[in-house]
Amino acid sequence: MLASVTSFALQGIDAHPVIVEVDIQSGLPAFNIVGLPDTAVRESRERVRSALRNSGFDFPLRRITVNLAPAYLQKAGPSFDLAVACGILVASGQVDAKSFLGHAFCGELALDGSLRAVRGALCVAVGAVKEGIEAIVVPLASLAEVQLLECVKIYGLGHLAQLPGLLAGKLAPSTSNGRPQAQVRRFSLDLSDVRGHSHAKQALEIAAAGGHNLLMRGPPGAGKTMLSRRLPSILPPMEREEALDVTRVHSVAGALDGALPIQERPFRAPHHSISVAGLVGGGQPVRPGEISLAHNGVLFLDELAEFPRSALESLRQPLERGYVTIARASGTLTFPSRFTLIAATNPCSCGFSGDSQRVCTCSMPSLLKYRSKLSGPLLDRIDILIDVERPTLDQIKSLGEPECSEVVRKRVLEARNRQKIRLRDTGLTCNAQMGIRQIKKYCLLSARAEEMVKLADAKLALGGRGYVRVLRVARTAADLASSERIEGDHIALALGYRESEHAAAVA
Amino acid sequence: MPQRSPSGDKRFHKRFQEPFTKKKVPGTFSQRAGPLSCCDGCLRRSRLISLLAGHIDSALGQGKSVAALFSLTDSELVEAIAGSGKAGILRKLDAVDIEREHSSALQSGLWTVCQHSPSYPARFKGLVDRPACLFVCGSEEQWQALQGPSVAIVGARRASPYGLEVARELARELALAGVAIVSGMAFGVDSAAHQGALDAKGVTVAVLGCGADIAYPVSKLSLYRSIVTSGLVISEFPPGFRPRKWTFPARNRIMAALGDMTVVVEAGRRSGSLITAGFASELGRPVGAVPGPITAAQSQGTNGLICDGARPVTCAGDVLEEILGVDIRSCSNGGEAKANAMLSGLSTELKRVLDAVGRGHDTVDKLTAVVNDAGRALSSLGELELLGLIGRAFDGRYMVRGGQGALSSHNEQ
């Protein structure tokens, strides 16, 4: 007898439909799975056999052939267990075939017949919706993430024995959570914890408002890490689409814990000893890297100069395009990775170049070599560069009460809304994503601002990329000031965030 | 890879086809001498120095001074520092092929001048540690420029925009007045001084701590080429000789001796340029120093020199007065008027920020105390930077600049 069940295979964060065909013929007892299965899929045989027996079903002692179509696609992971078990049940006549139509199955089987959570359940659900499948059956443990989707019937199965009941219609589909209420976001780290550092706080606000990449340079103890960790508290909340994408990536990575959907923008801070594969994605089987886990959030690289050159070079493409492509012999996978980069670095290897209290002990060649670790192309993609110094007691005392994150976040949110409205036809979400075309169209300059840009081009050797960076940041500064036109002050501000020419070479 | 000067250049080849003159002076001269010439003894000595390079390294490590070592004769030198390698060194010295030395110099496009030659710079005569043999890259006319007034301009490698600007301007104005500018082609003040002299189409002399055919540092190759074209590159080391730590103090003494005055533009407390100033004062030559803010670490050396009696240099006129003995005021008052005009056109806020930067509030955080808003502070700084009134140093700190390159002295403040 032949049976056919629908399941899905993960490719990146997308799900490709897979037809699980089960054929039972007479002959010596055998159980084979074909269709480019990987080791986990091949081991399914043992799990399915035990699970079926322990759930009270019969395991047919005949020649069983399972084909996972299409046969050119690599099948990985234990998520096909449930589909294979269902296929066997149908093919051996223990369950009625008609009730299976229009259902997709996905889940890992334990030896006693219960279902285990599977990675990427949400991605499977999204894929199912795209294919027009009306009902999805997932393990109970993966139910929470799938419930985020609307317009599809979701069944959470706890044990294989519940299957006939489900198909007979006795089990009610779970309601999708659709739109969970906005929770009050409570952050343990607040911007008001930081005293002084008005320059850095201003830069953080602009980075948060426009999604700009930011590099902080300063001696150890200046407060760079402290400031960066408070960035999430002033970031605007995610849109529903963005939250869904983030949840999908985390689901594929198996990093889902805590409340769903993920409402906080991810804040990833990998240590500088991370491998290139860990940062960008890869390995066998291919898993998303830190940059994909930071999608729609912040990637914080502390001690940027300590990261291996190869790791930093591998960031260039994702920073430019917003996705990363990982090539394998079996095909290429694409993971999304549109993140805001916040980096902190020392000015030199001793750390004290430019410090007002301690003397830098580096020789000139060592200083130049340290500076050159951050390559031109990487710096090119960083819109804001600031020098952070250790605040003196006077500076801390002279300023009034620092603003709390709540107040700053309101301004950031307003600025983001202006950007959303302005960029709604382009598919971009924030100023940092603007290219030269959008700048020409959306950046209206006052006369004084035009003059300043011309002067800057002549005197400061901005170049094409420099011009784009300055205008992006100026546009965000204007948004924060609720001004539709970019004024001279905004251009002057943006100019202050570029790398100083003298830093490149002395004389 | 050592950078060789353009030996394929037609200009150099033409010179070597000129008729040679045999001079009747002590020492034997080889046939292949150029218009400037070097006797075999001195050429051998320069080869000896390169053979002893490693030994000199350790000798200086034990505290002997560069000047002391270079005042010894060949045999004394070998005795003093060769130690166990003496026999090997003496053997290699005997094996030195003078013809080969001459031809290697020629092939690298260099000339040689030794202390016995009439073209030897007069300033070196009588000095006990004078270089025996100089390798020169450049034309004869430019060599004649050394007959006229010259100034050695030295300073920190990690100079601030102030130091670089002053060095360049000072060199430019002095070169316009016909003074040859001597410096070391290092990062920072040295290169700025060379550039200033080149801007004024004057003569500049680079004294190197490596073979005269090598551009060191490598990133200064284009500057090296410009200097070779219109000035001179000099070294006491044979062609192809790589720089070592001791070659820099060694060349510093030559720089100090080549200049009628040594001016230190910007130096920290432990800068190497202070050693050059020391050599100059030992030679009895005047030493000048450009003052800087007393709060600046990078001006502590120069300010210290002034306290110790060096002549404060605030404009080219100060230098010209010292070396020519004439009260020539070459300061451009036009630039001063221009700077004043620009300052009067500024808004009150910009003036306040400029003033604060001048008083030492050199970072945005410090200025926020003055302006009360980081955004306003940064915008003002950006605008002032565009106007050329302030600049950013290597470490990101802001400093006041002289406006459109006006080295104005005696400003009424």
Side-chain angles (χ1 to χ4, degrees), chain A residues 90-113:
Chain A
V90 172
S92 57
Q94 296 178 65
V95 163
D96 184 20
K98 279 192 284 296
S99 40
F100 269 85
L101 291 172
H103 284 64
F105 294 86
C106 144
E108 177 186 337
L109 286 172
L111 293 181
D112 64 352

Side-chain angles (χ1 to χ4, degrees), chain B residues 76-164:
Chain B
E76 284 170 3
L77 197 58
V78 175
E79 270 306 318
I81 62 172
S84 53
K86 195 167 102 169
I89 297 285
L90 287 173
R91 227 188 343 218
K92 282 198 198 135
L93 195 54
D94 287 332
V96 164
D97 180 357
I98 287 296
E99 291 300 315
R100 256 249 307 258
E101 296 292 320
H102 275 295
S103 59
S104 88
L106 281 181
Q107 268 163 8
S108 316
L110 303 177
W111 293 341
T112 50
V113 190
C114 85
Q115 53 185 324
H116 305 118
S117 159
S119 318
Y120 193 67
R123 293 186 183 95
F124 290 155
K125 294 219 164 84
L127 297 181
V128 80
D129 59 348
R130 63 184 175 277
C133 172
L134 287 174
F135 294 83
V136 181
C137 191
S139 78
E140 198 178 352
E141 306 91 70
Q142 284 141 13
W143 183 256
Q144 296 306 322
L146 281 179
Q147 313 264 18
S150 67
V151 157
I153 299 186
V154 296
R157 280 176 296 167
R158 254 187 278 184
S160 66
Y162 166 71
L164 297 174

Side-chain angles (χ1 to χ4, degrees), chain A residues 1 5 31 83 92 103 113 201 206 230 266 293 321 415 424 463 474 477:
Chain A
M1 255 260 283
V5 177
F31 185 6
S92 57
H103 284 64
K201 284 191 192 175
I206 295 189
R230 278 147 182 84
L293 288 170
R321 312 253 195 93
R424 73 175 160 263

